[in-house]
Amino acid sequence: MKSILVLYYSRGGHTAKISRAIAEHIEHQGHKSRVMHISEAVKEGLDWAKYDSVALGACVMYGSYDKSVFAFTTEHQAALSEKPNSFYSVNVVARNPEKRVPENNKYLQKFIELSPWKPNDVKVIAGKVDYPSWRWWDRLAIQLIMKMTDGPTDPKSVIDYTDWDDVKLYAEHLIRLAD
């Protein structure tokens, strides 16, 4: 039985939902998992030795990741690199299948370039447009980006682009990484 740590940064809750789905599928496959927001991990501390592998996921907002993601990967670079590891990027540009390919996803490539931690493995997961739940200035900014990229701009739109079957396959991949 493997034990996998699933860490994440989520702003609106969708990356948290994806992370919980990953952890639940790992457990459904007969393994152990712990899922936690990176702020919780910083506050509580981590016993890295308890885990066979680690996955870290983060959402993209305004073309970048939250600064806390870079702070976490800087501080814990050695611990993250010590074990089999993976980074998953959750972004709406991945609504287009070609942008789910890591080499074609500029946000994932930007993370790899800017982060001191260089993950062994990477994954791109399509996110969710949820205009009604966003602050008005976030909604306007994202609508402008969507207009430029031929995405949805209706302020009432709630569209989940996540391929949940692919999320389960990724969870199984994380189990294999732990071997």
Side-chain angles (χ1 to χ4, degrees), residues 103-121:
E103 295 77 21
N104 296 342
N105 190 285
K106 66 181 178 179
Y107 302 118
L108 176 61
Q109 293 306 314
K110 186 176 182 181
F111 175 82
I112 293 168
E113 178 186 326
L114 297 176
S115 174
W117 168 55
K118 304 303 179 204
N120 301 117
D121 182 77

Side-chain angles (χ1 to χ4, degrees), residues 39-141:
S39 64
E40 180 186 355
V42 167
K43 185 178 177 183
E44 291 183 18
L46 286 169
D47 180 359
W48 295 92
K50 291 170 65 173
Y51 305 102
D52 298 304
S53 67
V54 60
L56 171 62
C59 59
V60 172
M61 190 67 152
Y62 299 126
S64 190
Y65 302 91
D66 190 80
K67 64 183 177 179
S68 66
V69 176
F70 292 106
F72 185 87
T73 58
T74 299
E75 183 178 341
H76 299 285
Q77 177 183 355
L80 286 163
S81 298
E82 236 173 53
K83 301 185 173 299
N85 61 72
S86 184
F87 176 75
Y88 56 102
S89 173
V90 178
N91 57 77
V92 177
V93 74
R95 70 187 183 279
N96 299 317
E98 68 275 6
K99 299 298 184 183
R100 290 183 208 137
V101 176
E103 295 77 21
N104 296 342
N105 190 285
K106 66 181 178 179
Y107 302 118
L108 176 61
Q109 293 306 314
K110 186 176 182 181
F111 175 82
I112 293 168
E113 178 186 326
L114 297 176
S115 174
W117 168 55
K118 304 303 179 204
N120 301 117
D121 182 77
V122 293
K123 176 73 174 168
V124 178
I125 299 173
K128 178 180 179 181
V129 169
D130 189 357
Y131 288 122
S133 73
W134 294 339
R135 297 175 297 199
W136 69 269
W137 60 85
D138 288 333
R139 184 175 56 249
L140 288 176

Side-chain angles (χ1 to χ4, degrees), residues 155-169:
K156 295 178 183 149
S157 292
V158 176
I159 306 167
D160 184 352
Y161 291 103
T162 306
D163 180 340
W164 293 100
D165 290 333
D166 191 49
V167 169
K168 288 178 182 178
L169 291 174

Side-chain angles (χ1 to χ4, degrees), residues 1-4 23 25-33 175 179:
M1 181 181 340
K2 300 296 177 190
S3 181
I4 300 164
H25 193 70
I26 289 168
E27 292 176 4
H28 183 73
Q29 298 300 309
H31 299 277
K32 291 182 182 179
S33 66
I175 295 166
D179 288 334

